[in-house]
Amino acid sequence: MNPHWNGQFSCYDLVAKCDSQPRHVVRVGDVAIGDGGLTMMAGPCAVETESQVLRTAEFLAARGVRILRGGAYKPRSSPYAFQGLGIDGLKILAKARRETGMAIVTEVMSETDVEQIAEYADILQVGARSMENFSLLERLGTCGRAVLLKRGMSATLSDLLKSAQCIASFGNPDIILCERGIRSFDTATRNVFDVAAVPVLKAVCRLPVIVDPSHAAGVRSLVPILARAAVVVGADGLLVEVHPQPEAALCDGDQSLTLPQFEAMMSDLRAYAAIRPALDATIPVVQGAALEC
Ligand code: PEP
Ligand code: MN
């Protein structure tokens, strides 16, 4: 339980932007996230086989991607869907890290798995469904790894910042926020990419903000254009699902880019990524009560 429950601190002061700390750069090995550049994180939704992961990782690493994503523990809406390979999946990710030098980001669903996953991963991902799993957030405060905190599908930005504060309040300042789309009445896309979340979060918060266009779009054809939008509103990075054979994927194949599609997206993004550092100077001042505690 948080020892500061009696309200002597404000609800997200540990992650808020302030004059003395306008930004917190999260360092993972020699990758700096939130330093003004654009950090790409990519890979399959789920770890399925060694060859699937190694082939994807080698392709991505050869194109300059430094962080490999892949879920070994999958929070599936249906209990009958593929649940991930667990520890065997972590071992495959570790092999990809050894062979390519890429850092690994992978999801953790339970506080009881944190220690084990932290042995294999460089960044621990909290999925949308776990954003308010406070026992997990508390444990991540002492895990010794960076945390990628996804916005819950029905969470306000204030809720997201309070979850980040929870992790920070237990001692871990290395948090990356991720907008991945929110639920709405409109089912044309899987989730609605809240474009404004990026400048709002960057205006009030010192943490890096990345966007996951894959879970927002739900279909691969929309992923590159949402990625482009994310970059021009100031995202510090992108988390993108890529699969060597999306039609055979065990999870999220419809929204996974093929390897050539990923390469095409990267070349489209190059021009936008080049102006990315200059965008930080254009972050608006956001006024209003929306983010009050
Ligand atoms: C994922 O990254 O594969 C995932 C499950 O995402 P989210 O938690 O955003 O649904
Ligand atoms: Mn997925």
Side-chain angles (χ1 to χ4, degrees):
M1 199 190 293
N2 198 314
H4 307 309
W5 59 270
N6 59 3
Q8 50 183 304
F9 299 91
S10 93
C11 67
Y12 45 86
D13 60 338
L14 297 175
V15 298
K17 195 169 181 171
C18 55
D19 290 344
S20 61
Q21 266 189 290
R23 68 164 54 155
H24 177 70
V25 177
V26 175
R27 292 181 197 281
V28 176
D30 59 357
V31 182
I33 304 151
D35 68 346
L38 181 74
T39 303
M40 295 299 299
M41 309 182 189
C45 177
V47 175
E48 297 165 3
T49 65
E50 187 172 300
S51 65
Q52 169 230 20
V53 171
L54 293 184
R55 198 175 146 206
T56 308
E58 280 157 15
F59 181 91
L60 295 171
R63 281 147 190 89
V65 179
R66 311 287 309 280
I67 303 179
L68 176 70
R69 65 149 289 150
Y73 294 87
K74 293 303 303 174
R76 304 304 300 278
S77 303
S78 165
Y80 308 113
F82 175 59
Q83 305 288 307
L85 298 181
I87 176 76
D88 294 338
L90 296 177
K91 289 181 179 159
I92 292 172
L93 291 170
K95 184 160 185 191
R97 174 165 58 179
R98 275 198 307 279
E99 296 202 353
T100 64
M102 294 175 87
I104 302 295
V105 55
T106 195
E107 178 155 355
V108 57
M109 299 197 301
S110 163
E111 66 272 23
T112 58
D113 293 335
V114 168
E115 193 174 342
Q116 180 190 60
I117 296 177
E119 280 174 32
Y120 292 89
D122 303 280
I123 306 174
L124 273 59
Q125 174 174 325
V126 178
R129 292 159 189 78
S130 301
M131 190 206 83
E132 290 187 317
N133 178 344
F134 293 104
S135 314
L136 174 61
L137 302 180
E138 173 175 338
R139 179 64 188 85
L140 290 169
T142 54
C143 72
R145 293 277 179 270
V147 175
L148 193 170
L149 179 64
K150 287 187 137 193
R151 181 183 184 182
M153 57 187 87
S154 304
T156 64
L157 296 178
S158 173
D159 294 334
L160 175 63
L161 291 173
K162 281 180 266 191
S163 289
Q165 172 90 4
C166 179
I167 299 168
S169 71
F170 283 96
N172 188 354
D174 293 324
I175 305 160
I176 303 155
L177 303 177
C178 180
E179 160 63 30
R180 46 75 76 201
I182 51 177
R183 278 262 163 98
S184 91
F185 54 85
D186 194 337
T187 52
T189 54
R190 182 176 178 184
N191 293 288
V192 173
F193 170 26
D194 180 2
V195 184
V198 179
V200 171
L201 288 170
K202 290 189 67 76
V204 300
C205 178
R206 71 178 81 139
L207 301 174
V209 179
I210 69 165
V211 168
D212 171 351
S214 306
H215 289 84
V219 288
R220 74 177 67 88
S221 59
L222 284 173
V223 170
I225 200 160
L226 297 192
R228 193 197 286 173
V231 176
V232 300
V233 290
D236 294 295
L238 295 168
L239 179 72
V240 179
E241 289 186 340
V242 185
H243 196 290
Q245 232 190 322
E247 65 287 355
L250 295 178
C251 187
D252 287 350
D254 290 347
Q255 67 195 34
S256 299
L257 298 179
T258 62
L259 303 181
Q261 284 169 338
F262 181 81
E263 184 156 35
M265 183 188 76
M266 288 292 279
S267 72
D268 171 69
L269 289 179
R270 207 157 290 134
Y272 302 96
I275 60 161
R276 170 67 198 75
L279 292 173
D280 279 346
T282 68
I283 296 167
V285 174
V286 177
Q287 282 152 344
L291 288 176
E292 277 175 8
C293 296

